[in-house]
Amino acid sequence: MKKAPRLRFQKGDWLAVLSVLALSALVFLMCLPGKQASEASSVRLIVNGKPHAEFSLSENRQYRFEGSYPLTVNIRDGEVWVTDSACPGADCAHTGKISSPASSIICLPNKLEIVISGESAVDLTVR
Amino acid sequence: MKNTKRLALSAVLLSLALALSYLERLMPLQLILPLPGFKLGLANIVTLVALFHMGAKSAFLIVFLRCLLASVFGGGITAFLFSVTGGMLSVCIMAVSAKAPVFSVYGVSILGAAAHNTGQILAASVLMNTVRIFGYLPYLLAISVITGLLTATAASGVLKILMISAPGGKIKPSNS
C-alpha cells in the first residue's frame, strides 16, 4: 500500500517556519537603510538599470515621469513620494514617503527605481 | 494510477489552478497590504494536491503549464518570466521537502510559498537590473509563513477527501 501523506501539522514543520523567518530577518538586516540623509543627498531616477534623471533632495520640486505609465515624483522637505501613477497597481504610490539613503521606491511596470543616494550620482571623479 | 485517470486528473487540476490564479488577480489584496508581489498563492493548493497525490512529475508539469497558459490568457512575456521563476523554484523546493519525513503538507507549503516569493524577487532583480528590490523580500517571506499555512490547510482538506474516495483506498492519514 502507498504510504499515506502527512496531512497534519507536525513538530518538524516548525523547522520550516523558523527557517523562513530566519531568512526573512537575515535579508532584512542586509537591506537596512543607511544613516540619515545629508544635505548632499540626491534623488535619482533609474530606468531599466540606467540613470534617467537626478535631483537634489533638499530642493522642493515635482517631476512628471513620462514612461509607459506616467507618474509624478514629488520632492519636498527631504522626502520623496509618488503620486498620480497611471498603472493599475500603483505600488509606487502606495510605498509612501522615503527620506533615508539606500531606501527606494520601485515601479515594476515602468522598470523605474527612485533612489536616494548619499551623495551625488558621481561615484568617482578621475582627473 | 492508470494513465487515463492520471491524464484526466491532471487536466482538472490544471484548469483549477488557472481558475484560482485568475480569481486571485481579482482580489484587491494590495489595498489591505501594499506590498508588491503579495498574494495568497491559491494556485499553490493545486500544486500541493498534485505533489502529494500524483507525484513530483505531475506537479512540475501542472505548474509549468499553469504559468504558460496564465500568461497566454493575460499577462504577457514579463508576467510569464516572473511566474515561471517563482513557480519552478517553489515546486523544486516542495518536491524535495516532501521527501523529508520532518515536514508535513504544512511545512512543505510554507517552504514552497517562501521559495515562490524568493524566485519572483530574483526574477525582478534580474529584469530590472537592481538588487534594491530585495528590500521587499523580508516582508514577503514573513507573510509567506501565513499564506503557506492557509494554502496547506486547504490542500490538506482536499487530500483527505481524495484518499478516502480513492479506489482500494480508505487510507487513514498518518499522525506522524
Side-chain angles (χ1 to χ4, degrees):
Chain A
M1 193 165 71
K2 216 176 96 182
K3 215 171 143 238
R6 300 171 293 276
L7 296 185
R8 287 196 196 146
F9 193 92
Q10 58 191 42
K11 269 183 199 159
D13 292 329
W14 285 110
L15 191 67
V17 174
L18 288 178
S19 53
V20 170
L21 288 180
L23 184 64
S24 160
L26 186 73
V27 180
F28 181 76
L29 288 176
M30 281 163 65
C31 295
L32 267 188
K35 50 193 183 295
Q36 274 299 300
S38 63
E39 282 297 300
S41 293
S42 64
V43 180
R44 295 163 69 190
L45 271 63
I46 301 165
V47 180
N48 213 355
K50 294 184 192 79
H52 174 79
E54 184 178 348
F55 310 107
S56 166
L57 186 62
S58 44
E59 191 183 320
N60 295 348
R61 67 171 295 164
Q62 278 198 328
Y63 173 75
R64 185 76 183 152
F65 174 79
E66 304 286 350
S68 27
Y69 298 97
L71 51 86
T72 305
V73 181
N74 303 273
I75 306 169
R76 183 173 291 273
D77 303 328
E79 290 183 316
V80 187
W81 71 99
V82 170
T83 47
D84 306 319
S85 170
C87 87
D91 287 331
C92 50
H94 289 142
T95 306
K97 297 180 175 180
I98 60 167
S99 55
S100 54
S103 55
S104 59
I105 298 175
I106 291 170
C107 165
L108 271 183
N110 279 321
K111 294 190 176 176
L112 166 72
E113 280 181 275
I114 302 162
V115 193
I116 300 180
S117 53
E119 285 164 2
S120 96
V122 186
D123 292 325
L124 183 71
T125 315
V126 182
R127 284 170 203 267
Chain B
M1 212 182 290
K2 265 195 212 153
N3 267 337
T4 332
K5 202 184 163 191
R6 207 181 179 81
L7 179 68
L9 190 56
S10 303
V12 169
L13 286 177
L14 175 59
S15 48
L16 190 59
L18 272 171
L20 284 175
S21 62
Y22 184 72
L23 179 75
E24 195 160 54
R25 239 185 278 172
L26 300 176
M27 288 188 193
L29 277 179
Q30 305 289 335
L31 293 182
I32 305 165
L33 193 73
L35 191 59
F38 165 51
K39 52 183 184 172
L40 286 177
L42 292 179
N44 205 35
I45 299 172
V46 176
T47 316
L48 283 166
V49 170
L51 182 63
F52 280 86
H53 194 69
M54 302 169 73
K57 224 191 254 175
S58 302
F60 265 101
L61 203 62
I62 287 170
V63 169
F64 182 75
L65 290 175
R66 189 242 300 164
C67 296
L68 187 71
L69 289 173
S71 41
V72 167
F73 291 141
I77 186 77
T78 319
F80 174 70
L81 288 176
F82 273 91
S83 60
V84 89
T85 339
M88 282 296 124
L89 190 64
S90 151
V91 78
C92 281
I93 296 284
M94 290 201 290
V96 171
S97 57
K99 295 263 178 224
V102 247
F103 300 124
S104 73
V105 183
Y106 289 87
V108 173
S109 173
I110 291 167
L111 291 176
H116 192 273
N117 284 325
T118 313
Q120 286 204 311
I121 292 286
L122 275 175
S125 74
V126 170
L127 279 174
M128 288 185 62
N129 204 357
T130 175
V131 288
R132 267 175 223 104
I133 197 151
F134 274 90
Y136 290 129
L137 191 56
Y139 307 102
L140 287 171
L141 283 176
I143 289 166
S144 71
V145 172
I146 299 161
T147 56
L149 283 174
L150 286 176
T151 51
T153 312
S156 158
V158 175
L159 283 164
K160 262 175 212 158
I161 293 165
L162 276 174
M163 278 189 307
I164 293 163
S165 62
K170 302 229 171 185
I171 313 164
K172 285 221 176 95
S174 70
N175 289 326
S176 60

